[in-house]
Amino acid sequence: GAGVSQSPRYKVAKRGQDVALRCDPISGHVSLFWYQQALGQGPEFLTYFQNEAQLDKSGLPSDRFFAERPEGSVSTLKIQRTQQEDSAVYLCASSFQGVGTGGVYGYTFGSGTRLTVV
Amino acid sequence: QKEVEQNSGPLSVPEGAIASLNCTYSDRGSQSFFWYRQYSGKSPELIMFIYSNGDKEDGRFTAQLNKASQYVSLLIRDSQPSDSATYLCAVNINNKLIFGTGTRLQVFP
């Protein structure tokens, strides 16, 4: 597609509910990243993939967070048993470069999913 | 110490002035540096990236990098009200971009 597409745009979840957030990167982009952005803060790294391989998940805040990219294209971020502190905008970004190539030409971000846990 | 630090602002400048946004980082091994602009309620969009010490100019924007001082800045010349946004500094650390908290810029007519 022309850009990074994320769905849903908004999600309201009751505390304890499981949610799944989808990211469809730019066609052909090798690397895919998930970030969490709380109000008034910069994006915080969660995890990234190169093709279908999850190379770094050091930013996932707990084992309730899980991400996958099984075919190296679309990715899903799943949050189990949501809690109020999970309320944030979840941003997906993609890059045509593979990681570790010695340079990163920046990422293209999707519009994000705003998650509100009530 | 945070990996990437920015003054949260707001930085208020009059229309037509030069806005100067600053960022420091902790990882001496970092090689690439980015400035993103984020309008309220929108996602970050890339403005510039810089790899080498010195200045890099693109239209009204100039990025400056000083690796010895671990400092990167963004200058916006002839600031316009439409430049009012949050400016995020990002540094490539361990193959991923680490962002600062952003500086909010307000350009008033």
Side-chain angles (χ1 to χ4, degrees), chain A:
Chain A
V4 178
S5 177
Q6 291 189 248
S7 62
R9 187 76 175 88
Y10 302 93
K11 176 69 178 178
V12 178
K14 290 185 177 179
R15 190 158 51 102
Q17 186 178 358
D18 297 348
V19 298
L21 313 180
R22 177 190 168 102
C23 173
D24 197 344
I26 293 173
S27 179
H29 275 201
V30 171
S31 299
L32 184 147
F33 304 82
W34 284 99
Y35 285 82
Q36 179 190 61
Q37 187 171 26
L39 192 63
Q41 300 296 314
E44 295 277 347
F45 170 78
L46 294 177
T47 185
Y48 75 70
F49 294 83
Q50 181 167 301
N51 297 310
E52 69 279 3
Q54 188 174 21
L55 300 185
D56 187 331
K57 55 182 180 179
S58 63
L60 296 176
S62 75
D63 59 7
R64 297 186 296 104
F65 287 71
F66 172 77
E68 60 183 4
R69 194 187 185 197
E71 297 179 358
S73 178
V74 171
S75 176
T76 304
L77 176 67
K78 298 178 179 179
I79 308 173
Q80 297 178 322
R81 305 180 304 281
T82 52
Q83 300 177 6
Q84 285 191 315
E85 62 261 31
D86 299 334
S87 296
V89 175
Y90 290 84
L91 294 165
C92 176
S94 69
S95 171
F96 71 92
Q97 279 189 302
V99 298
T101 57
V104 174
Y105 291 99
Y107 309 160
T108 301
F109 280 88
S111 298
T113 294
R114 181 177 297 277
L115 173 65
T116 304
V117 181
V118 297

Side-chain angles (χ1 to χ4, degrees), chain B residues 60-77:
Chain B
R60 295 187 297 113
F61 299 97
T62 299
Q64 299 175 317
L65 175 61
N66 183 326
K67 290 185 180 179
S69 299
Q70 295 174 240
Y71 177 92
V72 58
S73 65
L74 180 70
L75 301 179
I76 306 175
R77 289 181 299 281

Side-chain angles (χ1 to χ4, degrees), chain A residues 9 33 35 37 41-43 45 48 56 91 99-100 104-107 109-110, chain B residues 32 34 36 38 41 43-44 46 49 51 88 92 94-97 99-101:
Chain A
R9 187 76 175 88
F33 304 82
Y35 285 82
Q37 187 171 26
Q41 300 296 314
F45 170 78
Y48 75 70
D56 187 331
L91 294 165
V99 298
V104 174
Y105 291 99
Y107 309 160
F109 280 88
Chain B
S32 49
F34 302 81
Y36 282 80
Q38 187 172 30
S43 59
L46 181 64
F49 59 86
Y51 297 158
L88 297 162
N92 183 357
N94 294 328
N95 296 319
K96 56 189 180 280
L97 291 192
F99 287 83
T101 55

Side-chain angles (χ1 to χ4, degrees), chain B residues 19-105:
Chain B
S20 177
L21 304 159
N22 305 313
C23 172
T24 58
Y25 60 95
S26 61
D27 185 357
R28 284 198 170 274
S30 298
Q31 296 295 316
S32 49
F33 308 86
F34 302 81
W35 283 99
Y36 282 80
R37 177 175 62 198
Q38 187 172 30
Y39 292 111
S40 181
K42 302 295 186 182
S43 59
E45 55 179 329
L46 181 64
I47 300 174
M48 293 188 69
F49 59 86
I50 186 168
Y51 297 158
S52 305
N53 275 327
D55 295 1
K56 179 182 178 183
E57 187 174 318
D58 184 1
R60 295 187 297 113
F61 299 97
T62 299
Q64 299 175 317
L65 175 61
N66 183 326
K67 290 185 180 179
S69 299
Q70 295 174 240
Y71 177 92
V72 58
S73 65
L74 180 70
L75 301 179
I76 306 175
R77 289 181 299 281
D78 188 24
S79 295
Q80 302 296 311
S82 58
D83 294 326
S84 297
T86 296
Y87 289 80
L88 297 162
C89 172
V91 178
N92 183 357
I93 298 175
N94 294 328
N95 296 319
K96 56 189 180 280
L97 291 192
I98 303 300
F99 287 83
T101 55
T103 298
R104 189 156 62 94
L105 173 67

